[in-house]
mmCIF file of all heavy atoms in Angstrom:
data_model
loop_
_atom_site.group_PDB
_atom_site.id
_atom_site.type_symbol
_atom_site.label_atom_id
_atom_site.label_comp_id
_atom_site.label_asym_id
_atom_site.label_seq_id
_atom_site.Cartn_x
_atom_site.Cartn_y
_atom_site.Cartn_z
ATOM 1 N N THR A 1 2.011 4.807 11.691
ATOM 2 C CA THR A 1 0.673 4.322 11.981
ATOM 3 C C THR A 1 0.676 2.811 11.928
ATOM 4 O O THR A 1 1.242 2.208 10.996
ATOM 5 C CB THR A 1 -0.351 4.870 10.965
ATOM 6 O OG1 THR A 1 -0.358 6.302 11.037
ATOM 7 C CG2 THR A 1 -1.748 4.344 11.259
ATOM 8 N N VAL A 2 0.063 2.173 12.916
ATOM 9 C CA VAL A 2 -0.024 0.710 12.945
ATOM 10 C C VAL A 2 -1.150 0.282 12.011
ATOM 11 O O VAL A 2 -2.289 0.719 12.167
ATOM 12 C CB VAL A 2 -0.256 0.182 14.361
ATOM 13 C CG1 VAL A 2 -0.445 -1.338 14.343
ATOM 14 C CG2 VAL A 2 0.877 0.561 15.281
ATOM 15 N N GLY A 3 -0.832 -0.584 11.061
ATOM 16 C CA GLY A 3 -1.852 -1.067 10.152
ATOM 17 C C GLY A 3 -1.324 -1.190 8.732
ATOM 18 O O GLY A 3 -0.116 -1.099 8.487
ATOM 19 N N THR A 4 -2.234 -1.390 7.803
ATOM 20 C CA THR A 4 -1.915 -1.544 6.396
ATOM 21 C C THR A 4 -2.410 -0.347 5.628
ATOM 22 O O THR A 4 -3.003 0.594 6.192
ATOM 23 C CB THR A 4 -2.530 -2.828 5.826
ATOM 24 O OG1 THR A 4 -3.964 -2.688 5.815
ATOM 25 C CG2 THR A 4 -2.163 -4.048 6.680
ATOM 26 N N VAL A 5 -2.237 -0.387 4.323
ATOM 27 C CA VAL A 5 -2.630 0.740 3.479
ATOM 28 C C VAL A 5 -4.146 0.958 3.505
ATOM 29 O O VAL A 5 -4.616 2.055 3.158
ATOM 30 C CB VAL A 5 -2.133 0.497 2.038
ATOM 31 C CG1 VAL A 5 -2.944 -0.601 1.363
ATOM 32 C CG2 VAL A 5 -2.135 1.762 1.209
ATOM 33 N N ASP A 6 -4.901 -0.038 3.952
ATOM 34 C CA ASP A 6 -6.363 0.121 4.035
ATOM 35 C C ASP A 6 -6.754 1.255 4.980
ATOM 36 O O ASP A 6 -7.833 1.852 4.827
ATOM 37 C CB ASP A 6 -7.006 -1.180 4.539
ATOM 38 C CG ASP A 6 -6.818 -2.329 3.552
ATOM 39 O OD1 ASP A 6 -6.640 -2.049 2.350
ATOM 40 O OD2 ASP A 6 -6.848 -3.500 3.988
ATOM 41 N N ILE A 7 -5.893 1.585 5.940
ATOM 42 C CA ILE A 7 -6.192 2.674 6.872
ATOM 43 C C ILE A 7 -6.316 4.002 6.142
ATOM 44 O O ILE A 7 -7.039 4.904 6.581
ATOM 45 C CB ILE A 7 -5.077 2.739 7.953
ATOM 46 C CG1 ILE A 7 -5.202 1.540 8.882
ATOM 47 C CG2 ILE A 7 -5.126 4.043 8.744
ATOM 48 C CD1 ILE A 7 -4.146 1.470 9.947
ATOM 49 N N LEU A 8 -5.635 4.127 4.986
ATOM 50 C CA LEU A 8 -5.660 5.381 4.226
ATOM 51 C C LEU A 8 -6.668 5.354 3.096
ATOM 52 O O LEU A 8 -6.534 6.073 2.115
ATOM 53 C CB LEU A 8 -4.243 5.651 3.662
ATOM 54 C CG LEU A 8 -3.122 5.717 4.707
ATOM 55 C CD1 LEU A 8 -1.788 5.912 4.006
ATOM 56 C CD2 LEU A 8 -3.384 6.837 5.701
ATOM 57 N N ALA A 9 -7.688 4.529 3.242
ATOM 58 C CA ALA A 9 -8.679 4.355 2.173
ATOM 59 C C ALA A 9 -9.373 5.660 1.803
ATOM 60 O O ALA A 9 -9.815 5.845 0.673
ATOM 61 C CB ALA A 9 -9.710 3.302 2.568
ATOM 62 N N GLY A 10 -9.481 6.592 2.757
ATOM 63 C CA GLY A 10 -10.169 7.849 2.490
ATOM 64 C C GLY A 10 -9.311 8.919 1.880
ATOM 65 O O GLY A 10 -9.777 10.033 1.610
ATOM 66 N N GLU A 11 -8.003 8.660 1.663
ATOM 67 C CA GLU A 11 -7.086 9.658 1.148
ATOM 68 C C GLU A 11 -6.762 9.427 -0.318
ATOM 69 O O GLU A 11 -6.844 8.289 -0.820
ATOM 70 C CB GLU A 11 -5.772 9.667 1.958
ATOM 71 C CG GLU A 11 -5.942 10.111 3.391
ATOM 72 C CD GLU A 11 -4.599 10.372 4.056
ATOM 73 O OE1 GLU A 11 -3.682 10.875 3.333
ATOM 74 O OE2 GLU A 11 -4.449 10.103 5.246
ATOM 75 N N SER A 12 -6.361 10.497 -1.000
ATOM 76 C CA SER A 12 -5.911 10.386 -2.383
ATOM 77 C C SER A 12 -4.986 11.564 -2.685
ATOM 78 O O SER A 12 -5.095 12.624 -2.060
ATOM 79 C CB SER A 12 -7.081 10.375 -3.364
ATOM 80 O OG SER A 12 -7.824 11.569 -3.274
ATOM 81 N N SER A 13 -4.051 11.343 -3.617
ATOM 82 C CA SER A 13 -3.095 12.383 -4.047
ATOM 83 C C SER A 13 -2.446 13.061 -2.839
ATOM 84 O O SER A 13 -2.362 14.288 -2.771
ATOM 85 C CB SER A 13 -3.807 13.418 -4.929
ATOM 86 O OG SER A 13 -4.337 12.804 -6.090
ATOM 87 N N SER A 14 -1.949 12.233 -1.907
ATOM 88 C CA SER A 14 -1.426 12.763 -0.648
ATOM 89 C C SER A 14 0.096 12.738 -0.545
ATOM 90 O O SER A 14 0.664 13.433 0.303
ATOM 91 C CB SER A 14 -2.006 11.969 0.534
ATOM 92 O OG SER A 14 -3.415 12.051 0.585
ATOM 93 N N PHE A 15 0.777 11.936 -1.394
ATOM 94 C CA PHE A 15 2.217 11.739 -1.236
ATOM 95 C C PHE A 15 2.944 11.934 -2.547
ATOM 96 O O PHE A 15 2.436 11.654 -3.620
ATOM 97 C CB PHE A 15 2.493 10.339 -0.675
ATOM 98 C CG PHE A 15 1.890 10.075 0.668
ATOM 99 C CD1 PHE A 15 0.656 9.444 0.766
ATOM 100 C CD2 PHE A 15 2.530 10.490 1.815
ATOM 101 C CE1 PHE A 15 0.077 9.219 2.009
ATOM 102 C CE2 PHE A 15 1.966 10.269 3.060
ATOM 103 C CZ PHE A 15 0.734 9.628 3.160
ATOM 104 N N ASP A 16 4.193 12.400 -2.420
ATOM 105 C CA ASP A 16 5.053 12.587 -3.589
ATOM 106 C C ASP A 16 5.877 11.345 -3.884
ATOM 107 O O ASP A 16 6.363 11.167 -5.006
ATOM 108 C CB ASP A 16 5.987 13.769 -3.361
ATOM 109 C CG ASP A 16 5.232 15.059 -3.115
ATOM 110 O OD1 ASP A 16 4.780 15.666 -4.104
ATOM 111 O OD2 ASP A 16 5.082 15.444 -1.940
ATOM 112 N N ALA A 17 6.050 10.488 -2.878
ATOM 113 C CA ALA A 17 6.783 9.227 -3.059
ATOM 114 C C ALA A 17 6.235 8.202 -2.079
ATOM 115 O O ALA A 17 5.864 8.525 -0.952
ATOM 116 C CB ALA A 17 8.276 9.432 -2.813
ATOM 117 N N ILE A 18 6.163 6.953 -2.553
ATOM 118 C CA ILE A 18 5.755 5.826 -1.704
ATOM 119 C C ILE A 18 6.746 4.691 -1.956
ATOM 120 O O ILE A 18 7.074 4.388 -3.110
ATOM 121 C CB ILE A 18 4.329 5.362 -2.019
ATOM 122 C CG1 ILE A 18 3.314 6.470 -1.699
ATOM 123 C CG2 ILE A 18 3.982 4.089 -1.244
ATOM 124 C CD1 ILE A 18 1.874 6.118 -2.021
ATOM 125 N N THR A 19 7.230 4.074 -0.888
ATOM 126 C CA THR A 19 8.207 3.013 -1.029
ATOM 127 C C THR A 19 7.690 1.725 -0.420
ATOM 128 O O THR A 19 7.015 1.715 0.610
ATOM 129 C CB THR A 19 9.551 3.392 -0.364
ATOM 130 O OG1 THR A 19 9.359 3.622 1.025
ATOM 131 C CG2 THR A 19 10.123 4.648 -1.007
ATOM 132 N N LEU A 20 8.001 0.616 -1.106
ATOM 133 C CA LEU A 20 7.643 -0.729 -0.654
ATOM 134 C C LEU A 20 8.873 -1.623 -0.791
ATOM 135 O O LEU A 20 9.158 -2.136 -1.883
ATOM 136 C CB LEU A 20 6.498 -1.309 -1.482
ATOM 137 C CG LEU A 20 5.175 -0.524 -1.524
ATOM 138 C CD1 LEU A 20 5.097 0.300 -2.802
ATOM 139 C CD2 LEU A 20 3.992 -1.466 -1.445
ATOM 140 N N SER A 21 9.621 -1.763 0.282
ATOM 141 C CA SER A 21 10.819 -2.586 0.274
ATOM 142 C C SER A 21 10.493 -3.955 0.867
ATOM 143 O O SER A 21 10.255 -4.088 2.061
ATOM 144 C CB SER A 21 11.938 -1.918 1.079
ATOM 145 O OG SER A 21 13.103 -2.721 1.061
ATOM 146 N N HIS A 22 10.446 -4.956 0.022
ATOM 147 C CA HIS A 22 10.123 -6.329 0.411
ATOM 148 C C HIS A 22 8.803 -6.372 1.180
ATOM 149 O O HIS A 22 8.717 -6.866 2.304
ATOM 150 C CB HIS A 22 11.284 -6.929 1.209
ATOM 151 C CG HIS A 22 12.487 -7.141 0.352
ATOM 152 N ND1 HIS A 22 12.725 -8.304 -0.338
ATOM 153 C CD2 HIS A 22 13.493 -6.296 -0.014
ATOM 154 C CE1 HIS A 22 13.840 -8.191 -1.039
ATOM 155 N NE2 HIS A 22 14.310 -6.958 -0.880
ATOM 156 N N VAL A 23 7.788 -5.836 0.510
ATOM 157 C CA VAL A 23 6.441 -5.785 1.050
ATOM 158 C C VAL A 23 5.451 -6.497 0.136
ATOM 159 O O VAL A 23 4.635 -7.302 0.590
ATOM 160 C CB VAL A 23 5.979 -4.320 1.260
ATOM 161 C CG1 VAL A 23 4.485 -4.232 1.548
ATOM 162 C CG2 VAL A 23 6.761 -3.669 2.401
ATOM 163 N N ILE A 24 5.534 -6.238 -1.170
ATOM 164 C CA ILE A 24 4.489 -6.709 -2.092
ATOM 165 C C ILE A 24 4.400 -8.226 -2.121
ATOM 166 O O ILE A 24 3.322 -8.785 -2.382
ATOM 167 C CB ILE A 24 4.724 -6.125 -3.508
ATOM 168 C CG1 ILE A 24 3.459 -6.301 -4.357
ATOM 169 C CG2 ILE A 24 5.961 -6.719 -4.174
ATOM 170 C CD1 ILE A 24 3.493 -5.547 -5.658
ATOM 171 N N GLU A 25 5.495 -8.928 -1.838
ATOM 172 C CA GLU A 25 5.471 -10.392 -1.852
ATOM 173 C C GLU A 25 4.744 -10.974 -0.637
ATOM 174 O O GLU A 25 4.457 -12.169 -0.586
ATOM 175 C CB GLU A 25 6.898 -10.956 -1.929
ATOM 176 C CG GLU A 25 7.772 -10.695 -0.735
ATOM 177 C CD GLU A 25 8.585 -9.417 -0.875
ATOM 178 O OE1 GLU A 25 8.169 -8.534 -1.657
ATOM 179 O OE2 GLU A 25 9.636 -9.300 -0.213
ATOM 180 N N HIS A 26 4.439 -10.122 0.363
ATOM 181 C CA HIS A 26 3.794 -10.591 1.589
ATOM 182 C C HIS A 26 2.287 -10.374 1.603
ATOM 183 O O HIS A 26 1.620 -10.815 2.549
ATOM 184 C CB HIS A 26 4.394 -9.860 2.804
ATOM 185 C CG HIS A 26 5.823 -10.210 3.075
ATOM 186 N ND1 HIS A 26 6.223 -11.330 3.754
ATOM 187 C CD2 HIS A 26 6.972 -9.569 2.721
ATOM 188 C CE1 HIS A 26 7.529 -11.389 3.825
ATOM 189 N NE2 HIS A 26 8.016 -10.319 3.220
ATOM 190 N N VAL A 27 1.720 -9.708 0.610
ATOM 191 C CA VAL A 27 0.299 -9.347 0.675
ATOM 192 C C VAL A 27 -0.546 -10.315 -0.146
ATOM 193 O O VAL A 27 -0.083 -10.883 -1.130
ATOM 194 C CB VAL A 27 0.056 -7.903 0.208
ATOM 195 C CG1 VAL A 27 0.852 -6.909 1.040
ATOM 196 C CG2 VAL A 27 0.420 -7.744 -1.259
ATOM 197 N N HIS A 28 -1.798 -10.467 0.267
ATOM 198 C CA HIS A 28 -2.702 -11.378 -0.424
ATOM 199 C C HIS A 28 -3.196 -10.803 -1.746
ATOM 200 O O HIS A 28 -3.487 -11.568 -2.695
ATOM 201 C CB HIS A 28 -3.899 -11.706 0.475
ATOM 202 C CG HIS A 28 -3.560 -12.568 1.641
ATOM 203 N ND1 HIS A 28 -3.508 -13.936 1.576
ATOM 204 C CD2 HIS A 28 -3.238 -12.250 2.927
ATOM 205 C CE1 HIS A 28 -3.192 -14.439 2.748
ATOM 206 N NE2 HIS A 28 -3.012 -13.439 3.590
ATOM 207 N N GLU A 29 -3.300 -9.493 -1.838
ATOM 208 C CA GLU A 29 -3.861 -8.845 -3.033
ATOM 209 C C GLU A 29 -2.913 -7.783 -3.567
ATOM 210 O O GLU A 29 -3.105 -6.592 -3.333
ATOM 211 C CB GLU A 29 -5.227 -8.230 -2.711
ATOM 212 C CG GLU A 29 -6.273 -9.219 -2.259
ATOM 213 C CD GLU A 29 -6.741 -10.157 -3.382
ATOM 214 O OE1 GLU A 29 -6.430 -9.857 -4.545
ATOM 215 O OE2 GLU A 29 -7.383 -11.176 -3.067
ATOM 216 N N PRO A 30 -1.847 -8.169 -4.249
ATOM 217 C CA PRO A 30 -0.885 -7.179 -4.749
ATOM 218 C C PRO A 30 -1.493 -6.194 -5.747
ATOM 219 O O PRO A 30 -1.064 -5.035 -5.814
ATOM 220 C CB PRO A 30 0.209 -8.020 -5.405
ATOM 221 C CG PRO A 30 -0.404 -9.363 -5.638
ATOM 222 C CD PRO A 30 -1.422 -9.548 -4.570
ATOM 223 N N VAL A 31 -2.501 -6.624 -6.495
ATOM 224 C CA VAL A 31 -3.141 -5.712 -7.443
ATOM 225 C C VAL A 31 -3.823 -4.577 -6.693
ATOM 226 O O VAL A 31 -3.659 -3.389 -7.021
ATOM 227 C CB VAL A 31 -4.166 -6.466 -8.318
ATOM 228 C CG1 VAL A 31 -4.924 -5.479 -9.200
ATOM 229 C CG2 VAL A 31 -3.469 -7.507 -9.188
ATOM 230 N N GLN A 32 -4.572 -4.919 -5.659
ATOM 231 C CA GLN A 32 -5.244 -3.891 -4.869
ATOM 232 C C GLN A 32 -4.235 -2.980 -4.171
ATOM 233 O O GLN A 32 -4.481 -1.759 -4.028
ATOM 234 C CB GLN A 32 -6.165 -4.546 -3.842
ATOM 235 C CG GLN A 32 -7.346 -5.283 -4.463
ATOM 236 C CD GLN A 32 -8.244 -5.919 -3.431
ATOM 237 O OE1 GLN A 32 -8.124 -5.666 -2.229
ATOM 238 N NE2 GLN A 32 -9.149 -6.775 -3.884
ATOM 239 N N LEU A 33 -3.107 -3.528 -3.734
ATOM 240 C CA LEU A 33 -2.082 -2.709 -3.105
ATOM 241 C C LEU A 33 -1.556 -1.658 -4.066
ATOM 242 O O LEU A 33 -1.450 -0.477 -3.719
ATOM 243 C CB LEU A 33 -0.927 -3.587 -2.613
ATOM 244 C CG LEU A 33 0.298 -2.854 -2.076
ATOM 245 C CD1 LEU A 33 -0.061 -2.013 -0.866
ATOM 246 C CD2 LEU A 33 1.406 -3.834 -1.731
ATOM 247 N N LEU A 34 -1.215 -2.040 -5.292
ATOM 248 C CA LEU A 34 -0.698 -1.081 -6.264
ATOM 249 C C LEU A 34 -1.752 -0.066 -6.666
ATOM 250 O O LEU A 34 -1.432 1.098 -6.917
ATOM 251 C CB LEU A 34 -0.159 -1.808 -7.488
ATOM 252 C CG LEU A 34 1.134 -2.593 -7.276
ATOM 253 C CD1 LEU A 34 1.620 -3.193 -8.592
ATOM 254 C CD2 LEU A 34 2.233 -1.730 -6.665
ATOM 255 N N GLN A 35 -2.994 -0.469 -6.726
ATOM 256 C CA GLN A 35 -4.063 0.480 -7.015
ATOM 257 C C GLN A 35 -4.178 1.516 -5.906
ATOM 258 O O GLN A 35 -4.406 2.698 -6.171
ATOM 259 C CB GLN A 35 -5.386 -0.268 -7.213
ATOM 260 C CG GLN A 35 -5.435 -1.078 -8.510
ATOM 261 C CD GLN A 35 -6.667 -1.971 -8.598
ATOM 262 O OE1 GLN A 35 -7.370 -2.206 -7.600
ATOM 263 N NE2 GLN A 35 -6.940 -2.487 -9.798
ATOM 264 N N ALA A 36 -4.028 1.066 -4.670
ATOM 265 C CA ALA A 36 -4.070 1.994 -3.537
ATOM 266 C C ALA A 36 -2.879 2.948 -3.566
ATOM 267 O O ALA A 36 -3.011 4.158 -3.306
ATOM 268 C CB ALA A 36 -4.089 1.214 -2.221
ATOM 269 N N VAL A 37 -1.696 2.424 -3.897
ATOM 270 C CA VAL A 37 -0.504 3.275 -4.015
ATOM 271 C C VAL A 37 -0.710 4.325 -5.087
ATOM 272 O O VAL A 37 -0.385 5.501 -4.905
ATOM 273 C CB VAL A 37 0.728 2.404 -4.322
ATOM 274 C CG1 VAL A 37 1.923 3.279 -4.721
ATOM 275 C CG2 VAL A 37 1.099 1.551 -3.118
#
């Protein structure tokens, strides 16, 4: 899917694993990113 994690704002408890390889250093709000994960 083209976009960021904000696209999945309506989902929860959907994945067994989530990976972020050299991603967190590129975002403006890393706290919000980890909360979404």
Side-chain angles (χ1 to χ4, degrees):
T1 299
V2 176
T4 67
V5 73
D6 295 335
I7 289 178
L8 303 177
E11 293 192 35
S12 61
S13 299
S14 300
F15 299 95
D16 300 280
I18 296 178
T19 61
L20 302 99
S21 180
H22 292 269
V23 168
I24 195 169
E25 66 268 24
H26 293 278
V27 302
H28 290 275
E29 299 291 346
V31 174
Q32 293 180 11
L33 173 61
L34 289 184
Q35 289 172 345
V37 168

